[in-house]
Amino acid sequence: MTKRIALIQLGLGGVGRALVRHILAQRSHHTQRLGLSLQYIALADRDGIVINRDGLSDERLTEIVAAKAQGARLRALPQGRPWDGSPEILEDLFEPNAIVVEVTATEATVPVLRAACARGLGIVLANKLPLAGPYELFRELTANPRTRFETTVGAALPIIVTIQSFLLDTGDTIQKIRGCLSGTLNMICQRLEQGQKFSEIVRDARARGHTEPDPREDLSGRDAARKALILARLLGYPLEFEDVSRESLYPPEWDTLSIEDFLVRLSEHDARWAELSRDVQARGERLRYVVEVTEGRCQARLERLKSDDELVRPGVADSVVAVQTARYRESSLIIRGKGSGPELTASGVLADILILAR
Ligand SMILES: NC(=O)c1ccc[n+]([C@@H]2O[C@H](COP(=O)([O-])OP(=O)(O)OC[C@H]3O[C@@H](n4cnc5c(N)ncnc54)[C@H](OP(=O)(O)O)[C@@H]3O)[C@@H](O)[C@H]2O)c1
């Protein structure tokens, strides 16, 4: 007997489209291995929605994903209609086996998430923002035992499940979490080591889509700090975003510049970055942007690491987390690997969906 799982997905950007493709490509695998049939009953973007209670056909899903990749709006597609983000239209679709999949980059989905939580539905988030907002909202969303958010920290790397299920639930005590969790900042540090200019690295990374459209999201440390905050909250610390001590890689007055002016002004600091990078290398150290959670404190900052530090491995622009616990005291538990990219993130979201579905 195949069990139907109804999916309501918010967001059809890079991650959302990759997720639909993964699900379509693995249909027979899910049926044979898990006895599951994942059926999309609603797909939404920022101002439109497509609904089919019986499940959108694979042909229709393929057309929608292709149209979204070309910049279409769901409201303008066949069966599409305008949607203002209010939960009422979705509440009719909230069947017991439904899972709400949140792969947007906005806080505008919070009313839907709260409504789904109130009904005890499955919720899977790749979007950090609702969980890094007010602590009370984090508590509300995570009090639902069917809320999963593995990909909000380190994409598909199993960081949250390890901390939650293997360490905290089993009674281990976590003393410290350290990690390099910004793929963008890791890459910048590594290219500085290769002697490249700071401003050119940032401009090139942005042109290739490796930074947020506004690279200040990454360079301010805000993105890394949100991940640190989610980890700190997981450990039970009721911190707010303002409690995270955060080092920005540019002066605060540049926050008011246009993106174009900001990218131009970056060159003013090239000499300082080159000097820092030379000095770090002369001492045999490595420059990394490190987040740390320990004893109720949470910080995100640039650090000079010894070359044998557990967070350093030469030549690979990956993410890494080291968890020091009562059981892993002598040598930290380390989770390392590629921690970004829409395809990997989609596979992590799918893993969360399948865990709930089972
Ligand atoms: N890419 C990665 O490596 C990675 C890794 C881990 C986590 N994540 C997280 O995954 C999330 C998705 O990333 P992405 O790269 O796919 O983002 P994206 O390309 O910017 O796509 C965001 C999608 O959300 C839709 N959206 C915006 N507001 C909405 C609303 N109120 N209701 C429903 N949909 C709405 C957008 O609609 P339109 O199409 O109408 O604009 C768009 O389809 C982000 O939160 C990101 O931080 C990404």
mmCIF file with all atom_site columns, all heavy atoms in Angstrom, residues 258-283:
data_model
loop_
_atom_site.group_PDB
_atom_site.id
_atom_site.type_symbol
_atom_site.label_atom_id
_atom_site.label_alt_id
_atom_site.label_comp_id
_atom_site.label_asym_id
_atom_site.label_entity_id
_atom_site.label_seq_id
_atom_site.pdbx_PDB_ins_code
_atom_site.Cartn_x
_atom_site.Cartn_y
_atom_site.Cartn_z
_atom_site.occupancy
_atom_site.B_iso_or_equiv
_atom_site.pdbx_formal_charge
_atom_site.auth_seq_id
_atom_site.auth_comp_id
_atom_site.auth_asym_id
_atom_site.auth_atom_id
_atom_site.pdbx_PDB_model_num
ATOM 1   N N   . SER A 1 258 ? 24.579 52.480 -2.082 1.00 0.00 ? 258 SER A N   1
ATOM 2   C CA  . SER A 1 258 ? 23.944 51.591 -3.057 1.00 0.00 ? 258 SER A CA  1
ATOM 3   C C   . SER A 1 258 ? 24.882 50.394 -3.259 1.00 0.00 ? 258 SER A C   1
ATOM 4   O O   . SER A 1 258 ? 26.082 50.483 -2.938 1.00 0.00 ? 258 SER A O   1
ATOM 5   C CB  . SER A 1 258 ? 23.753 52.316 -4.391 1.00 0.00 ? 258 SER A CB  1
ATOM 6   O OG  . SER A 1 258 ? 25.026 52.571 -4.961 1.00 0.00 ? 258 SER A OG  1
ATOM 7   N N   . ILE A 1 259 ? 24.356 49.299 -3.796 1.00 0.00 ? 259 ILE A N   1
ATOM 8   C CA  . ILE A 1 259 ? 25.209 48.113 -3.993 1.00 0.00 ? 259 ILE A CA  1
ATOM 9   C C   . ILE A 1 259 ? 26.389 48.476 -4.911 1.00 0.00 ? 259 ILE A C   1
ATOM 10  O O   . ILE A 1 259 ? 27.536 48.093 -4.647 1.00 0.00 ? 259 ILE A O   1
ATOM 11  C CB  . ILE A 1 259 ? 24.398 46.942 -4.606 1.00 0.00 ? 259 ILE A CB  1
ATOM 12  C CG1 . ILE A 1 259 ? 23.310 46.499 -3.633 1.00 0.00 ? 259 ILE A CG1 1
ATOM 13  C CG2 . ILE A 1 259 ? 25.313 45.769 -4.965 1.00 0.00 ? 259 ILE A CG2 1
ATOM 14  C CD1 . ILE A 1 259 ? 22.435 45.355 -4.150 1.00 0.00 ? 259 ILE A CD1 1
ATOM 15  N N   . GLU A 1 260 ? 26.113 49.236 -5.964 1.00 0.00 ? 260 GLU A N   1
ATOM 16  C CA  . GLU A 1 260 ? 27.165 49.593 -6.932 1.00 0.00 ? 260 GLU A CA  1
ATOM 17  C C   . GLU A 1 260 ? 28.265 50.397 -6.239 1.00 0.00 ? 260 GLU A C   1
ATOM 18  O O   . GLU A 1 260 ? 29.454 50.117 -6.409 1.00 0.00 ? 260 GLU A O   1
ATOM 19  C CB  . GLU A 1 260 ? 26.579 50.402 -8.099 1.00 0.00 ? 260 GLU A CB  1
ATOM 20  C CG  . GLU A 1 260 ? 25.691 49.612 -9.044 1.00 0.00 ? 260 GLU A CG  1
ATOM 21  C CD  . GLU A 1 260 ? 24.390 49.129 -8.396 1.00 0.00 ? 260 GLU A CD  1
ATOM 22  O OE1 . GLU A 1 260 ? 23.874 49.832 -7.485 1.00 0.00 ? 260 GLU A OE1 1
ATOM 23  O OE2 . GLU A 1 260 ? 23.910 48.026 -8.764 1.00 0.00 ? 260 GLU A OE2 1
ATOM 24  N N   . ASP A 1 261 ? 27.872 51.417 -5.455 1.00 0.00 ? 261 ASP A N   1
ATOM 25  C CA  . ASP A 1 261 ? 28.875 52.236 -4.756 1.00 0.00 ? 261 ASP A CA  1
ATOM 26  C C   . ASP A 1 261 ? 29.644 51.385 -3.748 1.00 0.00 ? 261 ASP A C   1
ATOM 27  O O   . ASP A 1 261 ? 30.859 51.537 -3.584 1.00 0.00 ? 261 ASP A O   1
ATOM 28  C CB  . ASP A 1 261 ? 28.206 53.412 -4.019 1.00 0.00 ? 261 ASP A CB  1
ATOM 29  C CG  . ASP A 1 261 ? 27.716 54.469 -5.002 1.00 0.00 ? 261 ASP A CG  1
ATOM 30  O OD1 . ASP A 1 261 ? 28.138 54.404 -6.174 1.00 0.00 ? 261 ASP A OD1 1
ATOM 31  O OD2 . ASP A 1 261 ? 26.902 55.316 -4.594 1.00 0.00 ? 261 ASP A OD2 1
ATOM 32  N N   . PHE A 1 262 ? 28.931 50.478 -3.092 1.00 0.00 ? 262 PHE A N   1
ATOM 33  C CA  . PHE A 1 262 ? 29.589 49.601 -2.115 1.00 0.00 ? 262 PHE A CA  1
ATOM 34  C C   . PHE A 1 262 ? 30.681 48.781 -2.800 1.00 0.00 ? 262 PHE A C   1
ATOM 35  O O   . PHE A 1 262 ? 31.819 48.697 -2.309 1.00 0.00 ? 262 PHE A O   1
ATOM 36  C CB  . PHE A 1 262 ? 28.550 48.669 -1.470 1.00 0.00 ? 262 PHE A CB  1
ATOM 37  C CG  . PHE A 1 262 ? 29.140 47.618 -0.576 1.00 0.00 ? 262 PHE A CG  1
ATOM 38  C CD1 . PHE A 1 262 ? 29.608 47.937 0.692  1.00 0.00 ? 262 PHE A CD1 1
ATOM 39  C CD2 . PHE A 1 262 ? 29.263 46.300 -1.014 1.00 0.00 ? 262 PHE A CD2 1
ATOM 40  C CE1 . PHE A 1 262 ? 30.164 46.968 1.516  1.00 0.00 ? 262 PHE A CE1 1
ATOM 41  C CE2 . PHE A 1 262 ? 29.820 45.324 -0.201 1.00 0.00 ? 262 PHE A CE2 1
ATOM 42  C CZ  . PHE A 1 262 ? 30.277 45.655 1.063  1.00 0.00 ? 262 PHE A CZ  1
ATOM 43  N N   . LEU A 1 263 ? 30.362 48.222 -3.972 1.00 0.00 ? 263 LEU A N   1
ATOM 44  C CA  . LEU A 1 263 ? 31.346 47.380 -4.680 1.00 0.00 ? 263 LEU A CA  1
ATOM 45  C C   . LEU A 1 263 ? 32.558 48.205 -5.109 1.00 0.00 ? 263 LEU A C   1
ATOM 46  O O   . LEU A 1 263 ? 33.688 47.714 -5.105 1.00 0.00 ? 263 LEU A O   1
ATOM 47  C CB  . LEU A 1 263 ? 30.681 46.707 -5.892 1.00 0.00 ? 263 LEU A CB  1
ATOM 48  C CG  . LEU A 1 263 ? 29.637 45.633 -5.542 1.00 0.00 ? 263 LEU A CG  1
ATOM 49  C CD1 . LEU A 1 263 ? 28.862 45.195 -6.777 1.00 0.00 ? 263 LEU A CD1 1
ATOM 50  C CD2 . LEU A 1 263 ? 30.292 44.424 -4.873 1.00 0.00 ? 263 LEU A CD2 1
ATOM 51  N N   . VAL A 1 264 ? 32.335 49.473 -5.449 1.00 0.00 ? 264 VAL A N   1
ATOM 52  C CA  . VAL A 1 264 ? 33.450 50.347 -5.838 1.00 0.00 ? 264 VAL A CA  1
ATOM 53  C C   . VAL A 1 264 ? 34.329 50.648 -4.620 1.00 0.00 ? 264 VAL A C   1
ATOM 54  O O   . VAL A 1 264 ? 35.552 50.537 -4.669 1.00 0.00 ? 264 VAL A O   1
ATOM 55  C CB  . VAL A 1 264 ? 32.910 51.658 -6.463 1.00 0.00 ? 264 VAL A CB  1
ATOM 56  C CG1 . VAL A 1 264 ? 34.041 52.673 -6.644 1.00 0.00 ? 264 VAL A CG1 1
ATOM 57  C CG2 . VAL A 1 264 ? 32.216 51.368 -7.787 1.00 0.00 ? 264 VAL A CG2 1
ATOM 58  N N   . ARG A 1 265 ? 33.676 50.989 -3.489 1.00 0.00 ? 265 ARG A N   1
ATOM 59  C CA  . ARG A 1 265 ? 34.431 51.396 -2.296 1.00 0.00 ? 265 ARG A CA  1
ATOM 60  C C   . ARG A 1 265 ? 35.285 50.253 -1.725 1.00 0.00 ? 265 ARG A C   1
ATOM 61  O O   . ARG A 1 265 ? 36.277 50.510 -1.027 1.00 0.00 ? 265 ARG A O   1
ATOM 62  C CB  . ARG A 1 265 ? 33.456 51.887 -1.195 1.00 0.00 ? 265 ARG A CB  1
ATOM 63  C CG  . ARG A 1 265 ? 32.678 53.138 -1.536 1.00 0.00 ? 265 ARG A CG  1
ATOM 64  C CD  . ARG A 1 265 ? 33.513 54.392 -1.422 1.00 0.00 ? 265 ARG A CD  1
ATOM 65  N NE  . ARG A 1 265 ? 34.085 54.675 -0.122 1.00 0.00 ? 265 ARG A NE  1
ATOM 66  C CZ  . ARG A 1 265 ? 33.512 55.424 0.821  1.00 0.00 ? 265 ARG A CZ  1
ATOM 67  N NH1 . ARG A 1 265 ? 32.308 55.943 0.617  1.00 0.00 ? 265 ARG A NH1 1
ATOM 68  N NH2 . ARG A 1 265 ? 34.134 55.669 1.963  1.00 0.00 ? 265 ARG A NH2 1
ATOM 69  N N   . LEU A 1 266 ? 34.908 48.995 -2.045 1.00 0.00 ? 266 LEU A N   1
ATOM 70  C CA  . LEU A 1 266 ? 35.660 47.855 -1.500 1.00 0.00 ? 266 LEU A CA  1
ATOM 71  C C   . LEU A 1 266 ? 37.162 47.953 -1.795 1.00 0.00 ? 266 LEU A C   1
ATOM 72  O O   . LEU A 1 266 ? 37.996 47.521 -0.998 1.00 0.00 ? 266 LEU A O   1
ATOM 73  C CB  . LEU A 1 266 ? 35.137 46.538 -2.103 1.00 0.00 ? 266 LEU A CB  1
ATOM 74  C CG  . LEU A 1 266 ? 33.861 45.945 -1.509 1.00 0.00 ? 266 LEU A CG  1
ATOM 75  C CD1 . LEU A 1 266 ? 33.461 44.707 -2.289 1.00 0.00 ? 266 LEU A CD1 1
ATOM 76  C CD2 . LEU A 1 266 ? 34.068 45.593 -0.038 1.00 0.00 ? 266 LEU A CD2 1
ATOM 77  N N   . SER A 1 267 ? 37.511 48.522 -2.971 1.00 0.00 ? 267 SER A N   1
ATOM 78  C CA  . SER A 1 267 ? 38.928 48.595 -3.366 1.00 0.00 ? 267 SER A CA  1
ATOM 79  C C   . SER A 1 267 ? 39.753 49.380 -2.349 1.00 0.00 ? 267 SER A C   1
ATOM 80  O O   . SER A 1 267 ? 40.963 49.162 -2.212 1.00 0.00 ? 267 SER A O   1
ATOM 81  C CB  . SER A 1 267 ? 39.086 49.285 -4.725 1.00 0.00 ? 267 SER A CB  1
ATOM 82  O OG  . SER A 1 267 ? 38.181 48.749 -5.625 1.00 0.00 ? 267 SER A OG  1
ATOM 83  N N   . GLU A 1 268 ? 39.099 50.298 -1.628 1.00 0.00 ? 268 GLU A N   1
ATOM 84  C CA  . GLU A 1 268 ? 39.835 51.118 -0.659 1.00 0.00 ? 268 GLU A CA  1
ATOM 85  C C   . GLU A 1 268 ? 40.487 50.257 0.424  1.00 0.00 ? 268 GLU A C   1
ATOM 86  O O   . GLU A 1 268 ? 41.432 50.689 1.074  1.00 0.00 ? 268 GLU A O   1
ATOM 87  C CB  . GLU A 1 268 ? 38.875 52.118 0.020  1.00 0.00 ? 268 GLU A CB  1
ATOM 88  C CG  . GLU A 1 268 ? 38.341 53.162 -0.922 1.00 0.00 ? 268 GLU A CG  1
ATOM 89  C CD  . GLU A 1 268 ? 37.252 54.007 -0.266 1.00 0.00 ? 268 GLU A CD  1
ATOM 90  O OE1 . GLU A 1 268 ? 37.168 54.047 0.982  1.00 0.00 ? 268 GLU A OE1 1
ATOM 91  O OE2 . GLU A 1 268 ? 36.475 54.624 -1.023 1.00 0.00 ? 268 GLU A OE2 1
ATOM 92  N N   . HIS A 1 269 ? 39.963 49.041 0.623  1.00 0.00 ? 269 HIS A N   1
ATOM 93  C CA  . HIS A 1 269 ? 40.502 48.192 1.692  1.00 0.00 ? 269 HIS A CA  1
ATOM 94  C C   . HIS A 1 269 ? 41.380 47.057 1.174  1.00 0.00 ? 269 HIS A C   1
ATOM 95  O O   . HIS A 1 269 ? 41.825 46.215 1.951  1.00 0.00 ? 269 HIS A O   1
ATOM 96  C CB  . HIS A 1 269 ? 39.364 47.619 2.541  1.00 0.00 ? 269 HIS A CB  1
ATOM 97  C CG  . HIS A 1 269 ? 38.746 48.631 3.452  1.00 0.00 ? 269 HIS A CG  1
ATOM 98  N ND1 . HIS A 1 269 ? 37.926 48.304 4.489  1.00 0.00 ? 269 HIS A ND1 1
ATOM 99  C CD2 . HIS A 1 269 ? 38.854 49.974 3.493  1.00 0.00 ? 269 HIS A CD2 1
ATOM 100 C CE1 . HIS A 1 269 ? 37.541 49.401 5.123  1.00 0.00 ? 269 HIS A CE1 1
ATOM 101 N NE2 . HIS A 1 269 ? 38.095 50.430 4.517  1.00 0.00 ? 269 HIS A NE2 1
ATOM 102 N N   . ASP A 1 270 ? 41.641 47.031 -0.143 1.00 0.00 ? 270 ASP A N   1
ATOM 103 C CA  . ASP A 1 270 ? 42.432 45.932 -0.710 1.00 0.00 ? 270 ASP A CA  1
ATOM 104 C C   . ASP A 1 270 ? 43.811 45.818 -0.049 1.00 0.00 ? 270 ASP A C   1
ATOM 105 O O   . ASP A 1 270 ? 44.268 44.722 0.284  1.00 0.00 ? 270 ASP A O   1
ATOM 106 C CB  . ASP A 1 270 ? 42.607 46.123 -2.227 1.00 0.00 ? 270 ASP A CB  1
ATOM 107 C CG  . ASP A 1 270 ? 41.369 45.655 -2.983 1.00 0.00 ? 270 ASP A CG  1
ATOM 108 O OD1 . ASP A 1 270 ? 40.530 44.960 -2.377 1.00 0.00 ? 270 ASP A OD1 1
ATOM 109 O OD2 . ASP A 1 270 ? 41.244 46.015 -4.175 1.00 0.00 ? 270 ASP A OD2 1
ATOM 110 N N   . ALA A 1 271 ? 44.479 46.979 0.159  1.00 0.00 ? 271 ALA A N   1
ATOM 111 C CA  . ALA A 1 271 ? 45.845 46.954 0.705  1.00 0.00 ? 271 ALA A CA  1
ATOM 112 C C   . ALA A 1 271 ? 45.823 46.383 2.132  1.00 0.00 ? 271 ALA A C   1
ATOM 113 O O   . ALA A 1 271 ? 46.678 45.571 2.511  1.00 0.00 ? 271 ALA A O   1
ATOM 114 C CB  . ALA A 1 271 ? 46.433 48.361 0.698  1.00 0.00 ? 271 ALA A CB  1
ATOM 115 N N   . ARG A 1 272 ? 44.803 46.789 2.913  1.00 0.00 ? 272 ARG A N   1
ATOM 116 C CA  . ARG A 1 272 ? 44.710 46.305 4.298  1.00 0.00 ? 272 ARG A CA  1
ATOM 117 C C   . ARG A 1 272 ? 44.493 44.785 4.328  1.00 0.00 ? 272 ARG A C   1
ATOM 118 O O   . ARG A 1 272 ? 45.128 44.066 5.100  1.00 0.00 ? 272 ARG A O   1
ATOM 119 C CB  . ARG A 1 272 ? 43.538 47.017 4.998  1.00 0.00 ? 272 ARG A CB  1
ATOM 120 C CG  . ARG A 1 272 ? 43.387 46.671 6.450  1.00 0.00 ? 272 ARG A CG  1
ATOM 121 C CD  . ARG A 1 272 ? 42.266 47.478 7.108  1.00 0.00 ? 272 ARG A CD  1
ATOM 122 N NE  . ARG A 1 272 ? 40.944 47.158 6.600  1.00 0.00 ? 272 ARG A NE  1
ATOM 123 C CZ  . ARG A 1 272 ? 40.229 46.104 6.995  1.00 0.00 ? 272 ARG A CZ  1
ATOM 124 N NH1 . ARG A 1 272 ? 40.713 45.262 7.877  1.00 0.00 ? 272 ARG A NH1 1
ATOM 125 N NH2 . ARG A 1 272 ? 39.020 45.899 6.493  1.00 0.00 ? 272 ARG A NH2 1
ATOM 126 N N   . TRP A 1 273 ? 43.613 44.298 3.448  1.00 0.00 ? 273 TRP A N   1
ATOM 127 C CA  . TRP A 1 273 ? 43.358 42.853 3.412  1.00 0.00 ? 273 TRP A CA  1
ATOM 128 C C   . TRP A 1 273 ? 44.594 42.083 2.959  1.00 0.00 ? 273 TRP A C   1
ATOM 129 O O   . TRP A 1 273 ? 44.910 41.005 3.488  1.00 0.00 ? 273 TRP A O   1
ATOM 130 C CB  . TRP A 1 273 ? 42.183 42.532 2.477  1.00 0.00 ? 273 TRP A CB  1
ATOM 131 C CG  . TRP A 1 273 ? 40.848 42.793 3.105  1.00 0.00 ? 273 TRP A CG  1
ATOM 132 C CD1 . TRP A 1 273 ? 40.001 43.824 2.844  1.00 0.00 ? 273 TRP A CD1 1
ATOM 133 C CD2 . TRP A 1 273 ? 40.223 42.018 4.129  1.00 0.00 ? 273 TRP A CD2 1
ATOM 134 N NE1 . TRP A 1 273 ? 38.881 43.743 3.628  1.00 0.00 ? 273 TRP A NE1 1
ATOM 135 C CE2 . TRP A 1 273 ? 38.986 42.633 4.427  1.00 0.00 ? 273 TRP A CE2 1
ATOM 136 C CE3 . TRP A 1 273 ? 40.568 40.863 4.825  1.00 0.00 ? 273 TRP A CE3 1
ATOM 137 C CZ2 . TRP A 1 273 ? 38.107 42.136 5.386  1.00 0.00 ? 273 TRP A CZ2 1
ATOM 138 C CZ3 . TRP A 1 273 ? 39.686 40.362 5.768  1.00 0.00 ? 273 TRP A CZ3 1
ATOM 139 C CH2 . TRP A 1 273 ? 38.476 40.996 6.042  1.00 0.00 ? 273 TRP A CH2 1
ATOM 140 N N   . ALA A 1 274 ? 45.318 42.642 1.984  1.00 0.00 ? 274 ALA A N   1
ATOM 141 C CA  . ALA A 1 274 ? 46.522 41.967 1.465  1.00 0.00 ? 274 ALA A CA  1
ATOM 142 C C   . ALA A 1 274 ? 47.570 41.882 2.574  1.00 0.00 ? 274 ALA A C   1
ATOM 143 O O   . ALA A 1 274 ? 48.219 40.844 2.769  1.00 0.00 ? 274 ALA A O   1
ATOM 144 C CB  . ALA A 1 274 ? 47.070 42.733 0.259  1.00 0.00 ? 274 ALA A CB  1
ATOM 145 N N   . GLU A 1 275 ? 47.700 42.972 3.350  1.00 0.00 ? 275 GLU A N   1
ATOM 146 C CA  . GLU A 1 275 ? 48.688 42.984 4.427  1.00 0.00 ? 275 GLU A CA  1
ATOM 147 C C   . GLU A 1 275 ? 48.309 41.959 5.504  1.00 0.00 ? 275 GLU A C   1
ATOM 148 O O   . GLU A 1 275 ? 49.157 41.191 5.975  1.00 0.00 ? 275 GLU A O   1
ATOM 149 C CB  . GLU A 1 275 ? 48.743 44.386 5.032  1.00 0.00 ? 275 GLU A CB  1
ATOM 150 C CG  . GLU A 1 275 ? 49.905 44.586 5.968  1.00 0.00 ? 275 GLU A CG  1
ATOM 151 C CD  . GLU A 1 275 ? 49.834 45.963 6.618  1.00 0.00 ? 275 GLU A CD  1
ATOM 152 O OE1 . GLU A 1 275 ? 49.365 46.910 5.961  1.00 0.00 ? 275 GLU A OE1 1
ATOM 153 O OE2 . GLU A 1 275 ? 50.228 46.046 7.801  1.00 0.00 ? 275 GLU A OE2 1
ATOM 154 N N   . LEU A 1 276 ? 47.031 41.932 5.857  1.00 0.00 ? 276 LEU A N   1
ATOM 155 C CA  . LEU A 1 276 ? 46.566 40.970 6.864  1.00 0.00 ? 276 LEU A CA  1
ATOM 156 C C   . LEU A 1 276 ? 46.827 39.540 6.384  1.00 0.00 ? 276 LEU A C   1
ATOM 157 O O   . LEU A 1 276 ? 47.338 38.695 7.119  1.00 0.00 ? 276 LEU A O   1
ATOM 158 C CB  . LEU A 1 276 ? 45.064 41.169 7.118  1.00 0.00 ? 276 LEU A CB  1
ATOM 159 C CG  . LEU A 1 276 ? 44.401 40.147 8.049  1.00 0.00 ? 276 LEU A CG  1
ATOM 160 C CD1 . LEU A 1 276 ? 44.983 40.226 9.461  1.00 0.00 ? 276 LEU A CD1 1
ATOM 161 C CD2 . LEU A 1 276 ? 42.883 40.368 8.114  1.00 0.00 ? 276 LEU A CD2 1
ATOM 162 N N   . SER A 1 277 ? 46.496 39.289 5.130  1.00 0.00 ? 277 SER A N   1
ATOM 163 C CA  . SER A 1 277 ? 46.656 37.942 4.589  1.00 0.00 ? 277 SER A CA  1
ATOM 164 C C   . SER A 1 277 ? 48.137 37.521 4.582  1.00 0.00 ? 277 SER A C   1
ATOM 165 O O   . SER A 1 277 ? 48.475 36.391 4.942  1.00 0.00 ? 277 SER A O   1
ATOM 166 C CB  . SER A 1 277 ? 46.082 37.919 3.171  1.00 0.00 ? 277 SER A CB  1
ATOM 167 O OG  . SER A 1 277 ? 46.337 36.697 2.582  1.00 0.00 ? 277 SER A OG  1
ATOM 168 N N   . ARG A 1 278 ? 49.034 38.460 4.198  1.00 0.00 ? 278 ARG A N   1
ATOM 169 C CA  . ARG A 1 278 ? 50.481 38.155 4.199  1.00 0.00 ? 278 ARG A CA  1
ATOM 170 C C   . ARG A 1 278 ? 50.964 37.844 5.604  1.00 0.00 ? 278 ARG A C   1
ATOM 171 O O   . ARG A 1 278 ? 51.702 36.887 5.841  1.00 0.00 ? 278 ARG A O   1
ATOM 172 C CB  . ARG A 1 278 ? 51.265 39.353 3.627  1.00 0.00 ? 278 ARG A CB  1
ATOM 173 C CG  . ARG A 1 278 ? 51.388 39.330 2.100  1.00 0.00 ? 278 ARG A CG  1
ATOM 174 C CD  . ARG A 1 278 ? 52.456 40.305 1.640  1.00 0.00 ? 278 ARG A CD  1
ATOM 175 N NE  . ARG A 1 278 ? 52.180 41.678 2.055  1.00 0.00 ? 278 ARG A NE  1
ATOM 176 C CZ  . ARG A 1 278 ? 51.432 42.533 1.348  1.00 0.00 ? 278 ARG A CZ  1
ATOM 177 N NH1 . ARG A 1 278 ? 50.893 42.167 0.208  1.00 0.00 ? 278 ARG A NH1 1
ATOM 178 N NH2 . ARG A 1 278 ? 51.226 43.756 1.780  1.00 0.00 ? 278 ARG A NH2 1
ATOM 179 N N   . ASP A 1 279 ? 50.502 38.665 6.560  1.00 0.00 ? 279 ASP A N   1
ATOM 180 C CA  . ASP A 1 279 ? 50.942 38.486 7.943  1.00 0.00 ? 279 ASP A CA  1
ATOM 181 C C   . ASP A 1 279 ? 50.466 37.133 8.493  1.00 0.00 ? 279 ASP A C   1
ATOM 182 O O   . ASP A 1 279 ? 51.232 36.405 9.143  1.00 0.00 ? 279 ASP A O   1
ATOM 183 C CB  . ASP A 1 279 ? 50.394 39.637 8.801  1.00 0.00 ? 279 ASP A CB  1
ATOM 184 C CG  . ASP A 1 279 ? 50.908 39.554 10.222 1.00 0.00 ? 279 ASP A CG  1
ATOM 185 O OD1 . ASP A 1 279 ? 52.143 39.558 10.393 1.00 0.00 ? 279 ASP A OD1 1
ATOM 186 O OD2 . ASP A 1 279 ? 50.080 39.442 11.155 1.00 0.00 ? 279 ASP A OD2 1
ATOM 187 N N   . VAL A 1 280 ? 49.215 36.795 8.217  1.00 0.00 ? 280 VAL A N   1
ATOM 188 C CA  . VAL A 1 280 ? 48.651 35.527 8.696  1.00 0.00 ? 280 VAL A CA  1
ATOM 189 C C   . VAL A 1 280 ? 49.466 34.368 8.116  1.00 0.00 ? 280 VAL A C   1
ATOM 190 O O   . VAL A 1 280 ? 49.844 33.426 8.821  1.00 0.00 ? 280 VAL A O   1
ATOM 191 C CB  . VAL A 1 280 ? 47.157 35.431 8.279  1.00 0.00 ? 280 VAL A CB  1
ATOM 192 C CG1 . VAL A 1 280 ? 46.646 34.022 8.438  1.00 0.00 ? 280 VAL A CG1 1
ATOM 193 C CG2 . VAL A 1 280 ? 46.312 36.390 9.115  1.00 0.00 ? 280 VAL A CG2 1
ATOM 194 N N   . GLN A 1 281 ? 49.766 34.454 6.819  1.00 0.00 ? 281 GLN A N   1
ATOM 195 C CA  . GLN A 1 281 ? 50.485 33.342 6.187  1.00 0.00 ? 281 GLN A CA  1
ATOM 196 C C   . GLN A 1 281 ? 51.924 33.245 6.684  1.00 0.00 ? 281 GLN A C   1
ATOM 197 O O   . GLN A 1 281 ? 52.448 32.144 6.869  1.00 0.00 ? 281 GLN A O   1
ATOM 198 C CB  . GLN A 1 281 ? 50.448 33.502 4.677  1.00 0.00 ? 281 GLN A CB  1
ATOM 199 C CG  . GLN A 1 281 ? 49.054 33.207 4.148  1.00 0.00 ? 281 GLN A CG  1
ATOM 200 C CD  . GLN A 1 281 ? 49.028 33.046 2.649  1.00 0.00 ? 281 GLN A CD  1
ATOM 201 O OE1 . GLN A 1 281 ? 49.689 32.183 2.108  1.00 0.00 ? 281 GLN A OE1 1
ATOM 202 N NE2 . GLN A 1 281 ? 48.274 33.899 1.980  1.00 0.00 ? 281 GLN A NE2 1
ATOM 203 N N   . ALA A 1 282 ? 52.542 34.405 6.943  1.00 0.00 ? 282 ALA A N   1
ATOM 204 C CA  . ALA A 1 282 ? 53.926 34.401 7.434  1.00 0.00 ? 282 ALA A CA  1
ATOM 205 C C   . ALA A 1 282 ? 54.022 33.687 8.776  1.00 0.00 ? 282 ALA A C   1
ATOM 206 O O   . ALA A 1 282 ? 55.035 33.100 9.125  1.00 0.00 ? 282 ALA A O   1
ATOM 207 C CB  . ALA A 1 282 ? 54.431 35.842 7.552  1.00 0.00 ? 282 ALA A CB  1
ATOM 208 N N   . ARG A 1 283 ? 52.947 33.726 9.536  1.00 0.00 ? 283 ARG A N   1
ATOM 209 C CA  . ARG A 1 283 ? 52.940 33.055 10.850 1.00 0.00 ? 283 ARG A CA  1
ATOM 210 C C   . ARG A 1 283 ? 52.423 31.627 10.757 1.00 0.00 ? 283 ARG A C   1
ATOM 211 O O   . ARG A 1 283 ? 52.147 30.999 11.784 1.00 0.00 ? 283 ARG A O   1
ATOM 212 C CB  . ARG A 1 283 ? 52.055 33.838 11.830 1.00 0.00 ? 283 ARG A CB  1
ATOM 213 C CG  . ARG A 1 283 ? 52.620 35.198 12.176 1.00 0.00 ? 283 ARG A CG  1
ATOM 214 C CD  . ARG A 1 283 ? 51.538 36.030 12.857 1.00 0.00 ? 283 ARG A CD  1
ATOM 215 N NE  . ARG A 1 283 ? 51.954 37.416 12.931 1.00 0.00 ? 283 ARG A NE  1
ATOM 216 C CZ  . ARG A 1 283 ? 52.490 37.970 14.005 1.00 0.00 ? 283 ARG A CZ  1
ATOM 217 N NH1 . ARG A 1 283 ? 52.664 37.249 15.090 1.00 0.00 ? 283 ARG A NH1 1
ATOM 218 N NH2 . ARG A 1 283 ? 52.853 39.234 14.006 1.00 0.00 ? 283 ARG A NH2 1
#
